[in-house]
Amino acid sequence: MTSVGFEPPFLLVGHSLGGLYANLYARLYPNEVAGLVFLESSTTKDISLNDYQAKAVKTINKMFKVFDSLSSHKQLSEVNFVEKTINLIHLTDTFPEIPVLVITGGQENRMMPEEARKKRLDNQLELLSLTRNGKHIVVEKSGHFRQLSELTIVIDSIKECADAINKTNQKPINSPCSLDYRWLILQKFLMRK
């Protein structure tokens, strides 16, 4: 990030599998991370959610994994590094004392059995135990891709985390002007998708 002009400390936003990678980054580089927003993020325990899936979904997941392994451009896909990332997180048990927001979608996912959905929510709530400065936000009308359906909530959560960082004065991040610029970049990026 420094090569494109962003200097630490960073406020990281990890969506889905990106939450695992942000979690690991914060552990490996605690002096570079001032806060973290977990946006419907995967957790180290989510890997076991497949156990709750119906047989048809498990079969489809296995087929995707086989097809991905046969494709040379898919071998570097983020999903191929999940288990390794989880193992590294377990080996690096120290998480920095930083503001953490955990944003969870409240909308039901028809592909996920109720037991798996409850387990996933429990896993999301466990992310709060990483720090004493955590907050959980449930977005009732949103599913997994809330950056598409609830962009304002995502941006407000990032601002809230930035405010929490600046209040602690431990690792103040850039001025609100430069933060507004970063939010604008985020907005433009998300609107393209």
Side-chain angles (χ1 to χ4, degrees), residues 139-153:
V139 185
E140 293 297 336
K141 296 180 182 178
S142 183
H144 187 67
F145 296 100
R146 78 191 34 75
Q147 69 274 24
L148 301 176
S149 62
E150 302 288 340
L151 181 59
T152 303
I153 292 172

Side-chain angles (χ1 to χ4, degrees), residues 14-57:
H15 171 255
S16 195
L17 286 177
L20 278 177
Y21 303 122
N23 187 339
L24 180 60
Y25 189 92
R27 292 165 188 269
L28 295 176
Y29 307 101
N31 294 327
E32 292 186 11
V33 180
L36 210 159
V37 177
F38 287 110
L39 187 59
E40 191 68 30
S41 293
S42 297
T43 72
T44 57
K45 293 184 177 181
D46 284 351
I47 201 160
S48 67
L49 292 178
N50 196 46
D51 297 343
Y52 299 97
Q53 296 292 355
K55 193 172 187 175
V57 173

Side-chain angles (χ1 to χ4, degrees), residues 6 11-15 37 39 147-148 150-159 178-193:
F6 293 108
L11 188 172
L12 300 180
V13 179
H15 171 255
V37 177
L39 187 59
Q147 69 274 24
L148 301 176
E150 302 288 340
L151 181 59
T152 303
I153 292 172
V154 172
I155 292 170
D156 289 346
S157 298
I158 294 169
K159 288 179 182 179
S178 60
L179 283 174
D180 287 342
Y181 177 70
R182 290 178 189 182
W183 291 323
L184 184 59
I185 291 171
L186 174 68
Q187 282 177 314
K188 287 184 179 186
F189 173 77
L190 293 174
M191 297 308 274
R192 278 191 331 201
K193 298 278 177 183

Side-chain angles (χ1 to χ4, degrees), residues 123-152:
N123 296 348
Q124 293 276 300
L125 293 173
E126 276 190 32
L127 290 170
L128 294 173
S129 68
L130 294 173
T131 180
R132 291 180 303 234
N133 192 1
K135 179 179 178 181
H136 185 229
I137 299 170
V138 178
V139 185
E140 293 297 336
K141 296 180 182 178
S142 183
H144 187 67
F145 296 100
R146 78 191 34 75
Q147 69 274 24
L148 301 176
S149 62
E150 302 288 340
L151 181 59
T152 303

Side-chain angles (χ1 to χ4, degrees), residues 74-142:
K74 291 275 190 165
Q75 290 174 2
L76 296 178
S77 175
E78 66 181 7
V79 297
N80 292 324
F81 299 99
V82 172
E83 288 182 30
K84 183 176 182 178
T85 302
I86 289 171
N87 290 336
L88 288 170
I89 288 171
H90 287 304
L91 291 172
T92 315
D93 61 351
T94 304
F95 189 88
E97 190 56 48
I98 57 175
V100 169
L101 270 73
V102 178
I103 305 173
T104 306
Q107 198 172 54
E108 187 177 322
N109 179 345
R110 293 182 190 148
M111 293 295 291
M112 185 180 282
E114 181 65 19
E115 189 175 1
R117 194 178 71 73
K118 287 179 181 177
K119 200 72 170 142
R120 178 145 169 82
L121 177 59
D122 289 345
N123 296 348
Q124 293 276 300
L125 293 173
E126 276 190 32
L127 290 170
L128 294 173
S129 68
L130 294 173
T131 180
R132 291 180 303 234
N133 192 1
K135 179 179 178 181
H136 185 229
I137 299 170
V138 178
V139 185
E140 293 297 336
K141 296 180 182 178
S142 183

